[in-house]
Amino acid sequence: MPSLLDSISELSGVGPKREQALNKLGVFTIDDLLTYYPRRYNDLAQKLPSETLDGEKVTFKGLVTSPPVVSRLGFKKTRLNFRLTVSHDTIQISFFNQPWLSKNIVVGEEVAIYGTYNKAHQSLSAIKMMPKNNENELEAIYPSSKEIKAGTIKDLIFQALGKYGDLLTQEIIPSDIRRRYRLMNYHDTVFGMHAPENEFLAGEARRTASFMEFFVFQMRLQVIKQMDRHNQGRSVNFDNQQLKSFIKVLPFELTAAQKKVVNEIVRDMRRPVHMNRLLQGDVGSGKTVVAALAMYAAITAGMQATLMAPTEILAQQHARTIGNYFDPSEVRVEILTGTTKAAARRQILADLAEGDIDILIGTHALIQPDIAFHNLGLAVIDEQHRFGVQQRATLRKVGVNPDILAMTATPIPRTLAITAYGEMDVSIIDQLPAGRKKIKTYWLRHNKIAKAIQFVKEQLASGAQAYVVTPLIEESETLDVQNAQAVYEELSTYFAPKFNVGLLHGRLSNDEKDTVMTAFKANEFQVLVATTVIEVGVDVPNATVMLILDADRFGLSQLHQLRGRVGRGERQAYTFLVSDPKTQYGIDRMEAMVETTDGFVLAQKDLELRGAGDVLGNRQSGVPEFRVGDPIADLAMMNVAQEEAIEIVSQPDWDKSPEMVGLAEMLSETMNRYRNFD
Ligand code: ADP
Ligand code: MG
């Protein structure tokens, strides 16, 4: 019995080599192959020469206005020439090595020819004659790889459509939704995507396929959310009095926004359901202390808390900052990272299991099977955009399904949040601590760099410190480091003997990085030349200037993150973007940085400037990639998909309805993964 779950090796022409090549494209089963949709279509439909680009493949329909002439170009090589008048243009048509076609070319008759257009010569290098009446033929073009050509993929898909097409009967989108939004059934969608009869149907098939993709995605999020709610989460019964007294002894007054989110978080923690909350706040908005308060709340409830950071440096910094908030005789804070020595690690694990450690801070090293908490109440993830949905899910396995607080300083435009964080509740800190001065940002071209360096020198003379950031050069870490090294040497000479310069880059070991950062914090040197490893979170309040070299090599979000490293103290801070952008887009970005310090505004701008594809393709955005749909262009559709998904999961036993068999099956893996937490 043929089945959609059959391996693609069941198709004729698929041996081990092709199978491997397809596997690499994520295609394992017939089902995968049939949903391997074309990226676009070559419009075989006729066009006018004036609307055709040079080199474009096109079909011209017109009148034959000169008799066909066959010339020999050599042994067995021929060329068939004639003129075709298309509207007001006369096009020279050449067929190579198909002399027999000449009998079909009759002066005064209409023909349609498909080929590649050469605009300068007004000629068409013909590929084939087209049936005249089939005006809307679309040719599907598939994403391919070095190992397998688009044409081969297409042939296999058409073979599969023939052999397995009748099996496409399992609907995923419930019929009433399909009816309401005039969507196609699954069978017609798949056929319409691969072999559309015309442009309209191609569009409709794509609309349905996009909706289906969004709908399944939103169903997955809603299922996760729903299960969270039903999961016997743990009620973190914190002591409000203790929490209040702790807030009183903080070295600063919380901002109104911080108070609001602390309230939201601890209230959610107290509920007997699982918390899955995102804390969003621009750089410098003070998320760390909020996390510390949430962790303290867990401790007053007799539970433990953990915080996971994406890098060693950040974990170290958090351990210090958070450690400083607490009296060590009351709250024990430990750190566990990849560099923790074996003996120390053993001790930490033992104490953790005994409940002798209250807060464990670390990196990915926290997610290890042998790590067992005594009573974990809260897990915090810092800079969560560095971790995917998968890792977020993995963290839940630490301890017994603890409440989760994820933090991010990467503002996601509101239009994308629904996609990026749909499964989470969101708290936003939309205010910076009082007295924080706006960072002044200047953009200057390379030939003005001396001015900026002079300014840096003046700042140093007044007792401040400075960052000089060197960019990633074409993704090569070696060049990257060499470049940073060169800048470091130049500046060392320039600032000597009064000021010292340090160097930080990705090739240093974690210990070395930490030594450098600690020394910079202690003002042992005044200028830090660094690659983007300082990008997130590292805090040196005395640093007031940042010079970013070749700033146009960075994305807006990244520049914004970098800039957030200064202006963390009382003094006015400055950022200099040194760059000679070569495109309008580069200029626009520099100007956007100068104009605003609001991360949300910049994120939105980035989205507008780069377009959805780039922003979404960027894994750091935390937004999953979609194969068919465009969650920005089709935002309204995404919203509808979400509404429908919410409606469905609100029905008890929705997955038992016969209409939902296909959908439930698609989601079964997610459901099982989350059921295991019960
Ligand atoms: P981020 O949100 O970027 O992680 P941090 O938590 O590192 O920001 O806070 C940035 C700086 O602001 C830290 O030095 C912190 O001590 C300080 N800070 C946080 N909250 C306040 C506040 N309410 N008033 C004054 N300073 C604060
Ligand atoms: Mg932070």
Side-chain angles (χ1 to χ4, degrees), residues 346-395:
R346 228 174 294 124
Q347 188 62 51
I348 286 174
L349 293 201
D351 291 353
L352 195 67
E354 283 296 316
D356 292 342
I357 293 173
D358 299 301
I359 295 180
L360 185 63
I361 292 172
T363 53
H364 292 90
L366 288 178
I367 318 177
Q368 298 295 329
D370 60 339
I371 293 183
F373 285 81
H374 177 66
N375 188 7
L376 181 63
L378 176 71
V380 181
I381 314 175
D382 191 23
E383 302 301 342
Q384 74 90 39
H385 63 284
R386 295 281 181 106
F387 306 99
V389 174
Q390 209 55 41
Q391 276 169 313
R392 296 198 307 244
T394 313
L395 191 71

Side-chain angles (χ1 to χ4, degrees), residues 252-255 258 281-289 317-318 321 325 382-383 409 429 433-434 436 537 539 541 565 568:
F252 43 71
E253 170 93 5
L254 291 182
T255 63
Q258 282 171 320
D282 212 339
V283 271
S285 61
K287 293 182 292 295
T288 315
V289 69
Q317 178 178 297
H318 279 313
T321 316
Y325 285 134
D382 191 23
E383 302 301 342
I429 310 183
R436 195 71 62 71
D539 208 1
R565 297 305 100 219
R568 301 182 77 84

Side-chain angles (χ1 to χ4, degrees), residues 173 536 642:
I173 309 172
V536 281
Q642 187 187 50

Side-chain angles (χ1 to χ4, degrees), residues 426-444:
V426 180
S427 290
I428 298 179
I429 310 183
D430 51 5
Q431 173 185 28
L432 295 183
R436 195 71 62 71
K437 297 200 176 66
K438 264 210 169 127
I439 302 166
K440 291 194 175 155
T441 303
Y442 304 93
W443 164 39
L444 43 107

